[in-house]
Amino acid sequence: MRSWMLLGGSLVLLLVLLVARNHWRHEVTYLMHTQDAVSIREAGVARRHRHLDTEALSKLVAARHPIARHTCGPWVERYAKLHAGILSGAELQRYAIIRYRREWENGLADRLATSLSVLLFALVSDRAFLFDFANSPSDDVLWSGLSSHFIDWRYRFSTEEGIEGIEEGNSSLVVNWNTGADGFSDPQEMIDLFTHGDLAAVGADVHSVIWLAERSVIYNSFDNPLLKSKLEELGLQRETAFACLFDFLYRPTEATVRVVEPLLPTLLDPEVLKIGVQIRVGDWQLVSGHRYFFHPDAYPNFFNHFFECARELERDAAGDSAVAVWYLITDTPALRRHLQAKFPERVLADVTGVIEHTVKSEKRSNQGFLQACAELWVFSLTDYQVVTLKSGFGKVGAAVSSPGHPHVFSISYPMQLFNAFGLGGPAFDNRKEVTLWQSARSCRRDGADSYEMICSSFTGC
């Protein structure tokens, strides 16, 4: 019975592929014509090649940090002082630890987003936040790509006896919401705690609370009546809290900035309208794309909705005379090259970087990890974002950009299709529901997805 179901599903997907090829063919002509209809000014092209010296670049980067742009609240300095006191032994030893191991396989964006929920827990319970980010590809790789200017959140510490975990020999509570009974992440209990429960009371009497989780619940935690007074005391605001917390923990290191330095003169230019486009094909295409018969770079028309959206948004945001770029990130290097060639006057992309899954790729490298850190950060420098609905990578970067108004436009398409036919059988990328093409959506500024919609699905925010 199961084999018949798999065969039937495969035939359906094959039919969808054939129909889609004809359905999208007319879009090529449409987009090629509109490419000529709205041309970029000479000055816009020149900006891509403008040079910034080190001092000028550092100042522009610093001005874009959310804590510099927003009123994040008085907690920043207070908590940094408390954190240092706990680590030095001057304050009561209480820790909030987020822990990841490779076998849990959720990627960089999911891990960073979830860590912000644990930081919020640390803030309301007066604990020192630590991040145990082991084995991907080396224990200190995250700090080398994204580090804090305020606290040292690295988990392992040097002692006279060597390197040991901070919670060893002390009382601890493990909050394990990383996977449900079916092997997938089951975040509902975590969501319920942050939106209705007494968060500060979790593990109230223990030295260390260790979180194994995969969900960010910052936005919706503002619905929790038990957190209302604490959030007001911290000075956090619903629309910018995610960005403030992220900036407190994760700022790009010099090594990360160098990875994307050629793109920064354009993406830090206030006179350029910057639209981020994030296309997620899927983990298995990224990790073992050679297994599959259909490769996304051979079917660029599947992704026309993303660029139609960017085009409409560009026209609405600044008019036909705008200096505009579409900053593209996607997990398939060949697709980057094809799409940049298709839209040469608009698409800005790194087509030479090392693209790897930071956890699942068998040959993970520090350079691939830095590339992921850099692209997630740079995506936050864009003004508007067109993202894949069922993906956390673009959503996290978009949430960090936090311009103070709705600015994200999600697009759905059948991403499972590329992973359905291949040697060794299908892999559906941990997406339980088959996503179909959505009908053309409005991408005018007043049609952006609500914060509630963006933050209540998938990775959360």
Side-chain angles (χ1 to χ4, degrees), residues 21-58:
R21 183 179 181 184
N22 291 326
H23 175 72
W24 288 100
R25 187 173 293 164
H26 76 281
E27 300 290 354
V28 180
T29 304
Y30 168 77
L31 283 168
M32 294 290 278
H33 284 308
T34 55
Q35 176 68 23
D36 295 332
V38 184
S39 61
I40 194 166
R41 291 205 309 251
E42 295 278 337
V45 177
R47 279 189 176 89
R48 299 192 191 191
H49 305 289
R50 190 180 61 167
H51 174 72
L52 291 174
D53 62 40
T54 302
E55 182 179 359
L57 180 60
S58 297

Side-chain angles (χ1 to χ4, degrees), residues 31-104:
L31 283 168
M32 294 290 278
H33 284 308
T34 55
Q35 176 68 23
D36 295 332
V38 184
S39 61
I40 194 166
R41 291 205 309 251
E42 295 278 337
V45 177
R47 279 189 176 89
R48 299 192 191 191
H49 305 289
R50 190 180 61 167
H51 174 72
L52 291 174
D53 62 40
T54 302
E55 182 179 359
L57 180 60
S58 297
K59 288 181 178 178
L60 287 172
V61 168
R64 289 293 302 169
H65 293 321
I67 289 176
R69 292 187 290 117
H70 300 304
T71 303
C72 289
W75 66 271
V76 174
E77 292 78 13
R78 294 175 188 172
Y79 182 71
K81 182 178 180 181
L82 173 66
H83 192 280
I86 294 174
L87 265 60
S88 70
E91 300 284 352
L92 182 64
Q93 298 292 285
R94 287 163 57 82
Y95 294 89
I97 302 169
I98 182 167
R99 173 166 293 158
Y100 280 107
R101 292 292 182 269
R102 189 185 176 195
E103 58 266 24
W104 298 333

Side-chain angles (χ1 to χ4, degrees), residues 149-294:
H149 288 198
F150 304 95
I151 64 172
D152 186 346
W153 43 251
R154 287 174 290 183
Y155 166 70
R156 297 186 182 276
F157 299 87
S158 297
T159 66
E160 292 182 1
E161 293 76 25
I163 304 297
E164 64 179 16
I166 197 71
E167 84 278 12
E168 296 297 326
N170 295 295
S171 60
S172 62
L173 171 69
V174 177
V175 181
N176 188 353
W177 289 329
N178 196 72
T179 55
D182 58 358
F184 290 95
S185 176
D186 183 9
Q188 192 56 52
E189 285 187 83
M190 186 171 178
I191 294 171
D192 290 343
L193 172 62
F194 276 78
T195 55
H196 305 293
D198 187 354
L199 186 60
V202 175
D205 299 325
V206 302
H207 174 276
S208 299
V209 179
I210 302 165
W211 294 74
L212 317 179
E214 187 185 350
R215 184 70 177 204
S216 184
V217 204
I218 303 301
Y219 182 85
N220 289 324
S221 67
F222 283 79
D223 295 328
N224 189 337
L226 299 177
L227 285 177
K228 185 175 185 297
S229 62
K230 186 63 177 180
L231 291 171
E232 290 176 352
E233 176 189 331
L234 293 170
L236 289 167
Q237 301 174 30
R238 185 191 282 255
E239 286 76 17
T240 57
F242 186 96
C244 291
L245 295 171
F246 188 98
D247 188 30
F248 183 79
L249 293 181
Y250 311 118
R251 287 185 176 178
T253 63
E254 290 183 7
T256 294
V257 172
R258 282 197 298 271
V259 170
V260 287
E261 190 167 355
L263 307 178
L264 294 180
T266 299
L267 294 174
L268 291 169
D269 190 334
E271 296 184 22
V272 174
L273 175 66
K274 299 166 283 287
I275 299 174
V277 179
Q278 180 251 348
I279 299 174
R280 187 76 164 102
V281 175
D283 293 353
W284 298 112
Q285 282 285 335
L286 181 60
V287 174
S288 54
H290 61 278
R291 283 181 45 190
Y292 300 98
F293 304 144
F294 299 113

